[in-house]
Amino acid sequence: MSSMINAITSVLWGYLLIYLLLGAGIYFTLRSRFVQIRHFIHAWKIMFASRRTEKNEVSSFQALCTSLAAHVGTGNLAGVAIAIYIGGPGAIFWMWVVALLGMSSSYIENTLAQLYKTNNNDGTFRGGPAYYIQKALGLRWLGIVFSSLLLITFGFVFNMVHANSVAASVSVYTDISIEYIGLFFALITSLIIFRGIHTITRFAEIVVPFMALGYFLIAMVVVLMRLEDIPAVFSLIISHAFGLEQAVGGGIGYSVAQAIMQGVKRGLFSNEAGMGSGPNAAATATPWPHHPAAQGIISMTSVFIDTIVICTATAAIVLLSGQLETGNTLNGIQLTQASLGSIVGPWGAWFITGAVILFGFTSVVANYYYGESNLMFMKNNRKLLFLYRLAVVLLVYLGAVSSLESVWILADLSMGLMALINLVVIVLLSGPALQVLKDYDRQLQAGKTPVFNRKHFPFLSQTIDNDVWTSGSDEPDDLDERSDSTSSEATPLETASPRAADDTDQLPDRS
């Protein structure tokens, strides 16, 4: 079974996803006029200003923290170590590339999630790829396929990966058996997930900033302790990324192909940009400014924090430690533990253990919610939801006691299939996301706080729900009445296609 899954995964990643991920990122970057660079500072400003909401609403900041809770997990600690062990230091460069391009993909998918979200009629929303696949493309069957993949990937497989890393990190430095660790982890998980989305978002809002900042500060301490070695580390990363220098570490010869493959795989597992997971959290928000592009812009920061900041911090710890040069066979989270411990002393390994517990637990909780949202898309049934929760708790335990190789093989396959569907879909639907970005930019340039008015996008009214994005419709309409690309005669498929993105320059100027 492992051999068959490996063969499928090799074809999926080697011949499809690497080119699709990088190609889509380049396309979105160019069509959005480098949105990840133009709005980088603006994204941070509106993120910190978006914490206040009305009763029961989920703020943009809370949605971002929920997304980060899933992104910032054991992939940042164990996944980076695996990428370096197999692909060499050059894998980190390709993780950076995936992240920088992926920020534009993140804008597209999260803006689409906001446009096509569903009102829960309790002050909250839900949405994601399954919802915009059904509403914008009219392909409910494909939405169900995607929902099923996401349910398996996040609700089950990724949670097994996180539980496995937690159990491995704790068991290696204690006498506690993996079985007991798995039982305790499953119990704590059940106490959170049975209490609903508001408990999850509040938990993420408190814990995620604390754990991310704490880990980053420790990495900075390591960098300062080995400051003289930093130029050599960057040189090592760049040289191995392009095959300018071949080296052997951990008993494995590195190659450019391995570096690219591991960088792309582990980068996607870590920041999930383009995979279609983040939109499930983004759709829950009531954004400020009240515009779907605002949430898409804010969501780009999660990719930056996850990969450029936290994954780079782990890479610095591993590469500065010299553990790879010792020829040891440690891999995954145990390599990260040994690396920090060798630099700062025994307490460093314990710090990584604590970080893995926090990172892993928040990821499991957020992943559970992604699965719940997609289960409700397929069938909104309380009994089925209860069974899903029980299954998540059981699989957290099973992941803790499973082998490292088996859970990562399943993760690579399931996330690859998800990304394949979502990337094709968001390329097809990029037109509306780029048009609302143009609208957002025009209002900013006019000195206004952007507000989305659905009357200015009559083609969207045919596909988005009537009870979302309604407040802006009451605003005075000061647009020029020219129809151009937003004419009501345009069909949803035409305006949702990549070709429609070329018409964004014809939008009437609100100013």
Side-chain angles (χ1 to χ4, degrees):
M1 180 65 73
S2 295
S3 299
M4 182 179 70
I5 293 175
N6 266 327
I8 296 172
T9 303
S10 296
V11 172
L12 181 63
W13 283 96
Y15 295 96
L16 292 173
L17 278 177
I18 283 183
Y19 303 105
L20 189 55
L21 270 169
L22 298 178
I26 292 170
Y27 172 74
F28 295 142
T29 296
L30 295 175
R31 291 300 304 126
S32 66
R33 295 177 295 125
F34 295 86
V35 64
Q36 66 269 54
I37 297 174
R38 289 191 299 115
H39 285 313
F40 184 77
I41 302 299
H42 178 68
W44 293 91
K45 288 181 179 178
I46 61 175
M47 178 186 74
F48 288 116
S50 67
R51 299 189 64 179
R52 292 184 179 182
T53 57
E54 299 296 328
K55 186 178 180 181
N56 287 334
E57 291 180 346
V58 175
S59 70
S60 292
F61 184 76
Q62 287 176 320
L64 176 72
C65 287
T66 302
S67 177
L68 274 171
H71 296 178
V72 180
T74 57
N76 299 84
L77 285 78
V80 172
I82 290 171
I84 295 174
Y85 183 84
I86 298 175
I92 303 305
F93 174 84
W94 295 107
M95 290 182 75
W96 293 339
V97 171
V98 167
L100 292 174
L101 293 175
M103 289 173 73
S104 64
S105 302
S106 178
Y107 164 77
I108 298 292
E109 62 181 357
N110 288 294
T111 300
L112 288 172
Q114 273 289 317
L115 279 172
Y116 296 104
K117 62 188 179 183
T118 291
N119 195 334
N120 290 326
N121 297 314
D122 62 356
T124 65
F125 300 89
R126 68 180 185 274
Y131 294 81
Y132 54 70
I133 288 171
Q134 174 177 305
K135 294 176 184 180
L137 294 180
L139 301 174
R140 178 170 172 79
W141 67 268
L142 184 58
I144 291 175
V145 170
F146 184 88
S147 289
S148 301
L149 284 171
L150 190 145
L151 187 69
I152 293 169
T153 303
F154 282 84
F156 301 148
V157 179
F158 278 13
N159 281 349
M160 293 177 71
V161 170
H162 296 308
N164 182 273
S165 293
V166 170
S169 66
V170 174
S171 64
V172 75
Y173 288 105
T174 68
D175 294 329
I176 305 173
S177 71
I178 286 180
E179 289 76 11
Y180 284 121
I181 296 170
L183 282 172
F184 181 75
F185 195 32
L187 174 63
I188 298 298
T189 299
S190 67
L191 294 177
I192 296 292
I193 68 175
F194 276 90
R195 299 186 64 181
I197 179 60
H198 284 296
T199 300
I200 292 171
T201 56
R202 284 193 294 269
F203 175 80
E205 183 181 23
I206 295 170
V207 175
V208 170
F210 167 77
M211 70 180 190
L213 180 61
Y215 185 69
F216 177 71
L217 290 176
I218 289 296
M220 289 302 97
V221 170
V222 170
V223 168
L224 291 174
M225 291 175 65
R226 300 287 179 87
L227 193 59
E228 69 279 2
D229 296 327
I230 293 300
V233 166
F234 276 97
S235 176
L236 194 67
I237 290 172
I238 299 300
S239 63
H240 282 79
F242 297 98
L244 303 178
E245 175 186 348
Q246 298 301 317
V248 175
I252 299 176
Y254 302 141
S255 69
V256 176
Q258 285 176 322
I260 296 174
M261 181 70 76
Q262 289 301 314
V264 173
K265 275 187 181 180
R266 300 285 77 85
L268 179 63
F269 179 85
S270 179
N271 61 54
E272 300 171 13
M275 193 193 300
S277 55
N280 292 273
T284 66
T286 301
W288 186 91
H290 191 66
H291 198 290
Q295 191 63 38
I297 290 169
I298 289 172
S299 297
M300 295 190 304
T301 62
S302 71
V303 180
F304 182 87
I305 294 169
D306 178 277
T307 304
I308 304 300
V309 176
I310 300 178
C311 286
T312 301
T314 300
I317 291 171
V318 172
L319 294 175
L320 287 170
S321 71
Q323 288 293 305
L324 293 177
E325 285 74 22
T326 64
N328 69 52
T329 58
L330 293 176
N331 196 1
I333 192 59
Q334 293 179 0
L335 175 57
T336 307
Q337 286 176 305
S339 297
L340 185 58
S342 69
I343 297 173
V344 301
W347 69 268
W350 284 102
F351 176 83
I352 293 294
T353 300
V356 150
I357 292 172
L358 275 178
F359 283 29
F361 182 60
T362 54
S363 293
V364 165
V365 170
N367 289 348
Y368 155 79
Y369 175 70
Y370 288 174
E372 178 189 292
S373 178
N374 283 268
L375 180 66
M376 293 176 69
F377 172 83
M378 292 185 285
K379 189 172 181 64
N380 193 348
N381 182 286
R382 288 187 176 274
K383 290 183 179 178
L384 197 59
L385 179 60
F386 180 78
L387 292 175
Y388 166 65
R389 288 170 173 171
L390 288 180
V392 168
V393 172
L394 175 62
L395 286 167
V396 163
Y397 171 76
L398 291 177
V401 300
S402 298
S403 68
L404 175 72
E405 292 77 14
S406 61
V407 292
W408 279 98
I409 288 171
L410 287 173
D412 285 342
L413 176 62
S414 56
M415 75 175 180
L417 292 172
M418 267 186 61
L420 181 63
I421 293 174
N422 187 62
L423 284 167
V424 171
V425 167
I426 64 175
V427 168
L428 292 173
L429 295 178
S430 59
L434 292 168
Q435 289 190 25
V436 298
L437 176 61
K438 192 75 171 181
D439 176 65
Y440 188 90
D441 286 340
R442 287 181 185 275
Q443 293 185 64
L444 279 183
Q445 291 165 6
K448 300 178 180 179
T449 298
V451 175
F452 183 74
N453 190 334
R454 63 187 293 162
K455 291 193 298 183
H456 301 163
F457 301 88
F459 70 88
L460 282 176
S461 291
Q462 303 173 42
T463 52
I464 65 177
D465 291 352
N466 292 326
D467 57 353
V468 299
W469 298 111
T470 55
S471 61
S473 300
D474 299 327
E475 302 284 334
D477 192 348
D478 57 348
L479 274 176
D480 185 339
E481 294 300 325
R482 293 175 299 166
S483 58
D484 292 337
S485 66
T486 56
S487 170
S488 58
E489 297 177 2
T491 67
L493 186 58
E494 288 171 341
T495 54
S497 68
R499 187 174 182 179
D502 296 331
D503 297 330
T504 55
D505 292 334
Q506 300 176 29
L507 269 177
D509 190 341
R510 182 176 300 190
S511 61

